[in-house]
Amino acid sequence: MSQRQTPSWCLFFPLLLLCVTGQQCLAARPLLVFLIDGFRYDYMDDLHTLPGFRELVNNGVKVDYMTPDFPSLSYPNYYSLMTGCEVEILGVRPSFCEKYVYNPSEKNLTDSIVNALNVLSSGKAGMAAIYYEKIDVEGHHFGPDSHQVRTAVLQLDLAMQTLHSKIREKNMVNQLNILLFSDHGMTKIQWMEKVIELDKYINISDIVKMMDRGPVVSLWPKDNKYQEVYAALSQVPNMHVYARQEIPERFHFKEGKFVSPLTLVAEPGWFIAENKARLPYWKNDSGETSWQNGWHGYDNEFLDMRGFFLATGPDFKQNVRAAPIRAVDVYNVMCWVLGVEPLPNNGSWSRVEYLLLNGSNGPSQPTTLWICYMGLFGILLALLDENM
């Protein structure tokens, strides 16, 4: 994610508070949400070394994995997680946010947890959300199996231990519902070894616009060059090229109003760019240019793209392991916990009702909390401008 200027009404990030001070939210119980960017489904497999996460799992519910929407990038999945809609049928705008902090420290995170609990316990907000990016950053730079990612997960676990301590201090154990989930996973890439260089197959000057580099690339060829470009790219190994009408239905992608005439999708581990000189390098701690070792955005059914979901609190079952869910299902869980009638969405109630103590009753009726909930989706869109 790139750093950017945020509106003057933003205060700080990663803490996001969804109700402006003085605006009363009428949830029966407050909800704290953690969106952990790039946290792959298997990063917490060894719970013996993660006491913070272990307590959450033992006291709540955890699904085997959560499948992101296609493409398995952050931005499309923020849409899906917060609206329950596939990428192609969206239309929501931001409301309130706090300032974005790139690659936050452990103190940034724990401070955000304390601030969120203060606001929720005071009744000033019915829901707060915390976004944490460090896992994703370390995964991109060093790869999902790296020491740096393992260290970042351990640091996040320490923050979860702080969360448990603060909840007990504030006597919120039987009052607060907590959701934790990620937007996608991460896979290892072979930098410089598995690069699809487009300029070896087409004349880049025949392209009016090219969006993104990586697993999924959008191309707008010149009208009189469309067929030539399509035919040439169709012969490229380790990559699929789709005309808009050819995009697989399971991607739920081709009806989106911003979808390009040609969509390129790389096989897992491969990276699409104009050429190797245009690869997105990064500056390491010494200021030197470094390779990337991890990426996401591939076919959302690819194992390494899977994210995680777990929840705990008075509205959830305890010590339950459940079947996989999809990103579009999370919206219905949040609506149910907050007492909000969900808007039309692509999520499946049958995939999530088992997680809840009274899930068989189905979604509840509308309340004034709707405004508070919809704020989270807008907050994320206002702050993030890269598909990472």
Side-chain angles (χ1 to χ4, degrees):
M1 311 234 179
S2 63
Q3 300 188 48
R4 57 171 290 183
Q5 294 294 321
T6 51
S8 59
W9 38 268
C10 295
L11 304 177
F12 66 96
F13 202 70
L15 174 63
L16 307 175
L17 299 180
L18 301 189
C19 300
V20 181
T21 301
Q23 179 181 356
Q24 186 66 34
C25 292
L26 302 179
R29 297 185 182 91
L31 173 64
L32 178 59
V33 172
F34 290 85
L35 173 50
I36 312 299
D37 199 319
F39 195 110
R40 202 169 70 184
Y41 77 102
D42 59 349
Y43 281 176
M44 67 171 73
D45 276 359
D46 187 6
L47 287 173
H48 294 292
T49 63
L50 301 170
F53 279 111
R54 185 172 66 244
E55 183 171 343
L56 289 167
V57 172
N58 290 343
N59 292 327
V61 295
K62 178 183 180 296
V63 303
D64 289 338
Y65 58 84
M66 185 171 70
T67 301
D69 264 13
F70 176 87
S72 50
L73 298 165
S74 293
Y75 231 129
N77 280 281
Y78 296 155
Y79 280 76
S80 297
L81 288 162
M82 302 308 163
T83 68
C85 295
E86 308 286 6
V87 175
E88 64 190 16
I89 58 173
L90 303 167
V92 182
R93 292 293 179 267
S95 59
F96 177 77
C97 73
E98 297 197 353
K99 187 178 179 182
Y100 166 66
V101 176
Y102 175 74
N103 197 11
S105 66
E106 183 181 343
K107 186 177 187 303
N108 289 142
L109 179 57
T110 54
D111 286 349
S112 295
I113 290 172
V114 172
N115 291 337
L117 292 177
N118 287 339
V119 173
L120 292 173
S121 63
S122 70
K124 294 179 181 178
M127 174 181 172
I130 294 172
Y131 168 79
Y132 189 65
E133 189 181 13
K134 190 175 184 67
I135 306 278
D136 183 74
V137 171
E138 301 291 61
H140 277 292
H141 292 173
F142 303 103
D145 302 319
S146 64
H147 167 73
Q148 289 83 354
V149 165
R150 289 192 293 273
T151 298
V153 171
L154 289 171
Q155 290 173 342
L156 180 58
D157 187 77
L158 289 174
M160 294 301 104
Q161 295 176 51
T162 298
L163 171 66
H164 298 312
S165 175
K166 296 300 180 182
I167 288 174
R168 287 188 283 268
E169 284 181 15
K170 293 181 175 295
N171 297 315
M172 298 179 72
V173 173
N174 297 317
Q175 303 172 20
L176 181 68
N177 288 305
I178 304 171
L179 300 183
L180 299 96
F181 48 83
S182 57
D183 45 357
H184 53 72
M186 186 73 67
T187 196
K188 182 175 178 59
I189 58 173
Q190 304 295 327
W191 202 243
M192 301 295 287
E193 296 178 21
K194 292 188 176 182
V195 180
I196 298 169
E197 298 182 88
L198 295 180
D199 63 5
K200 290 185 176 180
Y201 304 95
I202 62 173
N203 189 334
I204 298 298
S205 64
D206 291 339
I207 305 301
V208 176
K209 183 179 181 181
M210 174 177 172
M211 290 291 293
D212 299 324
R213 291 163 290 173
V216 179
V217 170
S218 300
L219 292 182
W220 285 259
K222 292 178 180 178
D223 290 342
N224 63 341
K225 294 293 184 178
Y226 175 89
Q227 290 298 336
E228 180 181 338
V229 170
Y230 177 76
L233 294 179
S234 296
Q235 306 303 312
V236 178
N238 306 303
M239 183 185 81
H240 298 279
V241 55
Y242 298 110
R244 182 166 180 159
Q245 67 274 14
E246 298 171 341
I247 297 173
E249 293 293 337
R250 69 180 181 85
F251 286 167
H252 301 286
F253 187 72
K254 64 184 177 184
E255 299 301 326
K257 63 182 179 180
F258 300 115
V259 176
S260 59
L262 295 178
T263 299
L264 315 182
V265 181
E267 291 292 333
W270 287 83
F271 201 96
I272 304 169
E274 299 96 317
N275 50 57
K276 290 183 178 179
R278 298 285 293 169
L279 290 172
Y281 297 90
W282 64 283
K283 296 287 187 181
N284 61 27
D285 292 340
S286 63
E288 298 175 349
T289 299
S290 296
W291 293 358
Q292 304 279 4
N293 288 281
W295 214 264
H296 53 87
Y298 299 97
D299 189 323
N300 60 328
E301 295 293 346
F302 174 43
L303 185 71
D304 283 357
M305 295 300 99
R306 294 172 176 174
F308 86 106
F309 176 94
L310 64 89
T312 186
D315 287 326
F316 293 94
K317 295 177 179 178
Q318 291 190 356
N319 197 22
V320 168
R321 301 295 179 92
I325 64 172
R326 304 186 70 88
V328 290
D329 299 327
V330 174
Y331 170 74
N332 284 323
V333 177
M334 288 193 284
C335 284
W336 192 93
V337 171
L338 290 170
V340 177
E341 182 71 13
L343 296 172
N345 65 85
N346 300 116
S348 169
W349 182 250
S350 65
R351 283 197 293 259
V352 298
E353 62 178 331
Y354 176 70
L355 310 177
L356 297 147
L357 282 176
N358 298 304
S360 59
N361 295 334
S364 57
Q365 296 301 309
T367 72
T368 56
L369 254 174
W370 184 85
I371 295 175
C372 305
Y373 168 72
M374 294 306 293
L376 174 57
F377 168 67
I379 291 165
L380 292 170
L381 296 188
L383 290 171
L384 307 173
D385 60 1
E386 293 291 336
N387 289 338
M388 291 181 59

